[in-house]
Amino acid sequence: MTTLEEPMQATAAAIPHAITNPARVPVERYFSPEFAALEKEKLWTKVWQMACRLEEIPRVGDFTEYQINDQSILIVRESEESIKAYFNACRHRATALGDGTGTFHGGQIVCPYHGWRWNLDGSNSYVYAERGFTPACLDPDKLRLRECRVGTMFGMVFINLDPEAEPLEVAMDGIRQKFDLIGFDRMKVRWWKHAVLPGNWKMAQEAFLEAYHVMQAHPSLSMGAADDDYDVDTLGGNFECFDNGHAHSLLASTAGCPVKGMSMADYFIQFNNALYIGTDAYATDRDMFIQQGLLEKDIPEDQFPMAFFQALYEYAQGAGIPLPPPTMETSGYGHIFPNITVLPAYGNSIIYRVRPNGDDPESCIFEVWAVQIPAAEDAESFGRPELEGPIPIEEWPQIFKEDFQNIGRQQRGVHTHGLPDLVMSEKYEAMIVNSHKTIDKYLSR
């Protein structure tokens, strides 16, 4: 486990705008073309990154395209057990072999320009009029599609452009042990949407790596709570950060209500209602159905949260919903380095993925998945998810809208003269600093 007090001078000497003080983040990291170019060269080409969810390629021959900077990668279901990731270029004259999402029928990847073909395992199966090429041009190894490293975890497909990268299982050490308790591999996509935001990818991601902003940015969630009402854990200060950049916040205790004058039952109910209306993801129809049923019973106010969780598990057992066992060892929210954030709840979760929008350091693609563990008999009915958007900021549910608007305000603010850096709390914003420090490790190699 890493600590924020570790010396940073070694990496600082190797890269511009480095983190030298855990309480300070240089503003240039959010808009400098030079810094973005270093990330493109040394981070995105070397790090394991989530390329798609398994539901996007359910059948043999299905593919989806993942783009990062100027690189396009095809994720292909080779067989029931095997997934391949190919650089998206014909070995003849570089034509993109796939666009978006689709299916390679007949087990053949066919170039739309000259008709060259490949099997799903990447081996070449046909060259049109091959008699016109020298034998050296037809070397089978040179004709094979070039592969990325690929692995699966948490119901997701991860890729790495570096053939020498450490195995995914090693790269995910620490966070895997925590996230395995959540049951991500059982979740299915309810909806998947995206926006193009006017901010650096790190700026957008950091809005979801701390809960310190909730009191001001999300009045429907804070419900009038003041500074003294919150303890460190409630604000998301109980962090576990790992050397490989991953981090998570341990679950906060529900022993007391953070809003003076409100009962625990009222706070719990209103908080769930706000999440249901404000996200359509973190709290779901299922949660509201269970909560409404409890409102018709005479339950002591201080026992309402525990009654909710008990009713949830009883409902899940009767409905055949394979919820993971309840435990306080799991995460309140977490970060998979470099660009995935998850906010798990009651057998469901919000998942965020943030990427640079091409080579523009001040624009990013922000995706949101709403996922849920369904009843076993309903799992197949969810089908292959389809990406919606880009959706304008003003059309998102209220809580997303509040966050997205602040990202744009921050991005404008970092250009202010006389503002050399951003101030970070080592208690409340430790996940942000840990991510920056890990970025610097990649950039200094």
Side-chain angles (χ1 to χ4, degrees):
M1 192 188 312
T2 189
T3 62
L4 298 183
E5 291 77 20
E6 291 177 343
M8 305 176 195
Q9 284 70 25
T11 56
I15 58 174
H17 318 304
I19 301 293
T20 58
N21 180 339
R24 302 281 177 173
V25 176
V27 293
E28 291 88 353
R29 295 171 72 93
Y30 298 97
F31 60 78
S32 163
E34 177 188 20
F35 193 83
L38 266 180
E39 290 179 330
K40 177 180 178 179
E41 176 190 356
K42 295 190 174 185
L43 174 67
W44 298 111
T45 60
K46 302 293 184 180
V47 72
W48 283 99
Q49 51 197 295
M50 180 259 212
C52 70
R53 290 188 55 83
L54 285 169
E55 301 105 297
E56 294 178 54
I57 48 171
R59 297 173 299 273
V60 174
D62 286 348
F63 75 88
T64 192
E65 180 187 11
Y66 174 67
Q67 297 181 2
I68 184 67
N69 297 127
D70 59 356
Q71 297 300 300
S72 171
I73 310 298
L74 286 181
I75 317 302
V76 181
R77 171 75 70 174
E78 180 196 4
S79 68
E80 294 292 339
E81 298 78 26
S82 175
I83 294 169
K84 294 285 190 178
Y86 300 118
F87 287 95
N88 188 13
C90 176
R91 302 297 293 170
H92 174 212
R93 282 169 56 189
T95 306
L97 298 171
D99 183 22
T101 298
T103 301
F104 293 126
H105 296 287
Q108 293 292 290
I109 302 171
V110 182
C111 176
Y113 196 2
H114 297 95
W116 288 30
R117 298 199 294 263
W118 287 264
N119 299 310
L120 297 182
D121 66 1
S123 60
N124 179 259
S125 59
Y126 176 71
V127 172
Y128 175 65
E130 66 176 31
R131 60 188 176 277
F133 294 84
T134 65
C137 291
L138 301 176
D139 183 317
D141 182 62
K142 293 181 179 178
L143 290 183
R144 284 192 65 87
L145 297 180
R146 290 304 182 249
E147 297 187 36
C148 300
R149 298 286 298 276
V150 63
T152 60
M153 195 175 291
F154 313 130
M156 308 172 189
V157 179
F158 290 84
I159 59 116
N160 196 311
L161 277 60
D162 180 8
E164 304 301 321
E166 62 186 2
L168 178 64
E169 292 74 16
V170 175
M172 292 294 166
D173 187 47
I175 202 65
R176 178 178 188 176
Q177 289 82 343
K178 298 299 180 181
F179 282 4
D180 278 347
L181 302 173
I182 296 173
F184 282 117
D185 57 327
R186 307 172 211 171
M187 295 184 187
K188 301 295 182 182
V189 176
R190 292 178 47 235
W191 54 258
W192 172 26
K193 303 175 182 179
H194 82 289
V196 176
L197 300 181
N200 183 269
W201 72 274
K202 298 183 294 296
M203 186 73 77
Q205 178 173 256
E206 290 163 16
F208 306 92
L209 295 186
E210 47 90 356
Y212 180 64
H213 68 283
V214 170
M215 184 174 68
Q216 177 65 32
H218 303 306
S220 64
L221 297 179
S222 61
M223 292 177 276
D227 190 348
D228 293 340
D229 294 329
Y230 288 102
D231 60 22
V232 171
D233 290 355
T234 306
L235 285 171
N238 192 9
F239 293 106
E240 187 174 19
C241 296
F242 300 99
D243 289 326
N244 49 17
H246 312 308
H248 74 114
S249 175
L250 299 172
L251 288 177
S253 170
T254 57
C257 176
V259 183
K260 289 182 174 65
M262 288 185 73
S263 69
M264 194 63 221
D266 286 343
Y267 176 80
F268 186 84
I269 292 165
Q270 292 192 35
F271 193 79
N272 278 347
N273 289 345
L275 289 171
Y276 178 65
I277 296 171
T279 68
D280 185 30
Y282 194 79
T284 66
D285 289 342
R286 183 164 71 198
D287 306 319
M288 294 298 101
F289 172 77
I290 293 168
Q291 179 172 282
Q292 185 60 39
L294 293 178
L295 293 176
E296 300 171 3
K297 299 180 179 180
D298 186 17
I299 300 173
E301 291 188 339
D302 61 340
Q303 298 178 23
F304 192 90
M306 289 306 299
F308 173 87
F309 293 115
Q310 182 178 350
L312 172 66
Y313 273 85
E314 290 175 354
Y315 172 83
Q317 184 176 12
I321 300 169
L323 295 184
T327 174
M328 289 300 291
E329 297 301 314
T330 188
S331 298
Y333 63 96
H335 173 51
I336 303 173
F337 184 83
N339 65 332
I340 298 292
T341 306
V342 301
L343 287 83
Y346 324 120
N348 56 279
S349 183
I350 303 173
I351 300 175
Y352 302 124
R353 178 174 69 184
V354 195
R355 292 175 284 161
N357 186 14
D359 290 331
D360 184 354
E362 301 197 67
S363 178
C364 68
I365 301 168
F366 195 105
E367 294 165 87
V368 183
W369 285 266
V371 297
Q372 186 174 46
I373 299 176
E377 63 183 21
D378 296 332
E380 295 301 322
S381 67
F382 277 72
R384 195 174 184 181
E386 295 184 7
L387 178 62
E388 303 176 47
I391 297 173
I393 291 176
E394 59 273 12
E395 295 180 15
W396 284 81
Q398 183 62 29
I399 291 175
F400 291 121
K401 188 190 312 181
E402 291 162 351
D403 283 318
F404 291 166
Q405 289 170 340
N406 278 328
I407 290 165
R409 294 183 182 112
Q410 282 184 282
Q411 191 65 37
R412 294 196 301 271
V414 292
H415 289 280
T416 302
H417 292 180
L419 182 70
D421 46 39
L422 307 184
V423 180
M424 294 290 166
S425 164
E426 295 187 39
K427 287 185 177 180
Y428 304 137
E429 294 157 330
M431 289 172 68
I432 296 175
V433 178
N434 188 54
S435 182
H436 277 280
K437 288 174 61 181
T438 308
I439 289 172
D440 283 1
K441 290 179 183 178
Y442 278 86
L443 301 192
S444 64
R445 293 173 180 171

